[in-house]
């Protein structure tokens, strides 16, 4: 039977991990993800899990230890934020290229500088091409649900790739919401026991992990990695279907909110989607056909599905909580506009960078975005397609 609780996003993720009971959890603290290993360490101390919890000296070490544990055949994970994720940069690529099924809980925080401890997506977006699958949450419930699904996706025989489970720092990680937890046994049965086929501690199958790859083999390894990321699309949907049957909460690549008949649409990731839904509710009462596409899966990028969902809108604003400093906009904008172009969509599109360093996003802000989309649809002139929202002066 499902249990109703009031939990922060960090505590919800830690409880999901308690229910999964992984084998190894190396950890190094960094705000705002520190609470995840902190809560989990209390579970270890109280005998609620039999996980090997390893305090290490840095984030580079925590990912390296997770890699070693996963290569040895253990179910492993770690957690981090911001500069901690940047410090993991080298082993992120090792985890993905060695096809190791491990999980990284990312609590999104601005990547310095200037130094800032609040939410934006510059940390995980900076790692978007590392080879990790990336799932994002709007709220605490989704953070919990994504973590429950993560190992099933990562360990699937057609995938064997690491997964990032991302949530917005402080906005969801520390804020308390009502959420529904599955029973411990339900989660344990859903995730199942990890039974790797090839691992370092298997004496029946001697193997090497991370050997030097000469020119004759490197491209084939990368192509295989790319094929695994393609396979992950089907696996993500399969796991989500099973999870929906179990929990009654359904997930896909994205959530469409009043998008079926929308003339104006916003595409975004994360907690600001909740504010945008409130804006849409108000606009719908006024007869404005506004809609939202809230992306859950950023890697693999569901380009065809996004283009199909946006095919009937007149104008689109793609909202990025990170900037690529390309003089063109942010990473989500680049990916969505590319998807629209490939499908020959006629909608005008603009890319708006917002909420950097935790800058507030209000219903009024999003109302202005939809008003601008209505103007663009009427005139056919998008104007500056690379914009910032909420900047003083």
């Amino acid at each position: 039977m499902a249990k109703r609780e009031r939990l922060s996003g960090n505590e919800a993720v830690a409880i999901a991990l308690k229910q999964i009971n992984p084998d190894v959890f190396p950890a190094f603290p960094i705000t705002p993800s520190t609470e995840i290993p902190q809560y989990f360490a209390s579970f270890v101390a109280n005998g609620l899990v039999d996980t090997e919890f390893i305090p290490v000296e840095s984030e580079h070490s925590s990912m390296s230890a997770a890699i070693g544990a996963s290569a040895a055949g253990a179910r492993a994970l770690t957690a981090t934020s911001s500069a901690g994720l940047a410090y993991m940069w080298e082993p992120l690529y090792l985890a993905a290229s060695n096809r190791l099924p491990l999980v990284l809980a990312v609590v999104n925080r601005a990547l310095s500088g200037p130094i800032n401890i609040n939410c934006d997506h510059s940390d995980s977006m900076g790692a978007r091409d590392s080879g990790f699958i990336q799932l994002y949450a709007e709220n605490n419930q989704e953070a919990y649900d994504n973590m429950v699904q993560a190992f099933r996706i990562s360990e699937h025989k057609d995938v064997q790739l690491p997964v990032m489970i991302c949530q917005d720092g402080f906005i969801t990680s520390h804020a308390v919401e009502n959420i529904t937890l599955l029973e411990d046994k339900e989660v344990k049965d859903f995730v199942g026991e990890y039974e790797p086929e090839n691992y370092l501690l298997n004496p029946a199958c001697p193997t090497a992990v991370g050997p030097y790859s000469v020119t004759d083999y490197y491209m084939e390894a990368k192509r295989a990695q790319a094929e695994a990321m393609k396979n992950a699309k089907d696996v993500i949907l399969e796991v989500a279907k099973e999870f929906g049957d179990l929990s009654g909460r359904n997930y896909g690549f994205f959530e469409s909110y009043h998008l079926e008949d929308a003339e104006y649409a916003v595409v975004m990731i994360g907690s600001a989607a909740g504010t945008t839904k409130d804006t849409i509710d108000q606009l719908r009462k006024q007869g404005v056909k506004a809609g939202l596409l809230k992306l859950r899966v950023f890697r693999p990028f569901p380009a065809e599905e996004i283009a199909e969902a946006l095919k009937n809108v007149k104008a689109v604003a793609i909202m990025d909580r990170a900037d690529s400093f390309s003089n063109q906009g942010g990473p989500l904008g680049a990916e969505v506009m590319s998807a629209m172009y490939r499908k020959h969509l006629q909608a005008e599109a603009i890319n708006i960078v917002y909420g950097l360093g935790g800058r507030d996003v209000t219903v009024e802000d999003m109302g202005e975005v939809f008003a601008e989309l209505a103007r663009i649809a009427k005139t056919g002139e998008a104007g500056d397609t690379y914009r910032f929202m909420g900047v003083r002066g």
Side-chain angles (χ1 to χ4, degrees), residues 196-391:
E197 292 184 17
N198 300 304
Y199 53 97
L200 288 174
L201 298 184
N202 181 5
C205 182
T207 186
V209 175
Y212 177 65
S213 181
V214 297
T215 304
D216 289 344
Y217 297 101
Y218 185 86
M219 278 196 67
E220 285 72 20
K222 286 300 178 183
R223 173 62 187 274
Q225 191 178 336
E227 289 298 315
M229 190 64 81
K230 289 181 182 179
N231 295 341
K233 289 183 68 176
D234 289 338
V235 172
I236 288 168
L237 294 182
E238 290 170 8
V239 173
K241 173 65 168 60
E242 288 188 42
F243 183 82
D245 293 341
L246 174 65
S247 67
R249 296 185 293 275
N250 297 308
Y251 292 96
F253 298 133
F254 49 77
E255 177 189 351
S256 298
Y257 190 76
H258 291 300
L259 197 58
E260 296 77 10
D261 65 339
E263 296 179 349
Y264 322 114
V266 162
V267 181
M268 67 189 345
I269 289 172
S271 58
T275 302
T276 305
K277 290 174 183 177
D278 290 341
T279 306
I280 291 169
D281 291 343
Q282 292 184 11
L283 292 174
R284 285 279 170 169
K285 291 177 182 177
Q286 301 168 21
V288 178
K289 292 184 177 181
L292 167 70
L293 189 153
K294 182 198 74 183
L295 198 60
R296 173 185 177 238
V297 180
F298 187 69
R299 286 291 183 269
F301 189 73
E304 297 84 359
E305 293 82 0
I306 289 173
E308 179 66 21
L310 297 174
K311 66 181 181 181
N312 294 322
V313 302
K314 297 178 180 178
V316 180
I318 305 143
M319 311 290 293
D320 263 293
R321 207 159 194 161
D323 198 338
S324 287
F325 300 105
S326 63
N327 199 34
Q328 298 297 313
L332 182 59
E335 302 262 5
V336 173
M337 286 185 178
S338 174
M340 294 173 65
Y341 175 80
R342 289 181 179 184
K343 289 295 183 180
H344 308 289
L345 300 193
Q346 299 302 307
E348 295 287 345
I350 58 174
N351 189 193
I352 300 176
V353 177
Y354 78 100
L356 301 184
R359 183 65 56 91
D360 284 341
V361 182
T362 67
V363 170
E364 290 73 23
D365 290 332
M366 297 311 301
E368 292 177 7
V369 170
F370 281 108
E372 176 64 4
L373 291 178
R375 184 201 66 78
I376 290 171
K378 182 177 180 180
T379 64
E381 296 293 333
D384 187 358
T385 59
Y386 169 36
R387 310 181 185 192
F388 281 76
M389 184 179 81
V391 178

Side-chain angles (χ1 to χ4, degrees), residues 88-259:
M88 291 180 180
W89 193 253
E90 177 192 19
L92 288 181
Y93 283 79
L94 295 175
S97 63
N98 286 322
R99 307 290 299 280
L100 296 175
L102 56 84
V103 172
L104 174 60
V106 176
V107 182
N108 289 113
R109 165 187 152 185
L111 191 60
S112 301
I115 191 167
N116 179 289
I117 66 166
N118 297 302
C119 174
D120 66 33
H121 297 156
S122 54
D123 51 1
S124 59
M125 285 295 169
R128 65 190 179 273
D129 294 335
S130 63
F132 270 66
I133 293 166
Q134 290 189 340
L135 307 184
Y136 288 81
E138 174 190 339
N139 51 43
N140 304 9
Q141 183 72 67
E142 292 184 8
Y144 169 82
D145 292 346
N146 284 345
M147 181 55 75
V148 171
Q149 296 174 63
F151 283 104
R152 281 284 305 276
I153 296 166
S154 182
E155 294 168 0
H156 193 282
K157 63 181 179 62
D158 294 332
V159 179
Q160 297 285 296
L161 290 173
V163 176
M164 284 185 198
I165 300 298
C166 305
Q167 64 168 314
D168 284 357
F170 294 108
I171 299 171
T172 67
S173 66
H174 286 64
V176 175
E177 293 182 343
N178 291 325
I179 76 168
T180 302
L181 300 176
L182 296 169
E183 294 287 349
D184 292 354
K185 187 177 186 306
E186 290 179 317
V187 174
K188 191 67 176 174
D189 290 345
F190 176 81
V191 177
E193 296 295 332
Y194 181 39
E195 298 179 356
E197 292 184 17
N198 300 304
Y199 53 97
L200 288 174
L201 298 184
N202 181 5
C205 182
T207 186
V209 175
Y212 177 65
S213 181
V214 297
T215 304
D216 289 344
Y217 297 101
Y218 185 86
M219 278 196 67
E220 285 72 20
K222 286 300 178 183
R223 173 62 187 274
Q225 191 178 336
E227 289 298 315
M229 190 64 81
K230 289 181 182 179
N231 295 341
K233 289 183 68 176
D234 289 338
V235 172
I236 288 168
L237 294 182
E238 290 170 8
V239 173
K241 173 65 168 60
E242 288 188 42
F243 183 82
D245 293 341
L246 174 65
S247 67
R249 296 185 293 275
N250 297 308
Y251 292 96
F253 298 133
F254 49 77
E255 177 189 351
S256 298
Y257 190 76
H258 291 300
L259 197 58

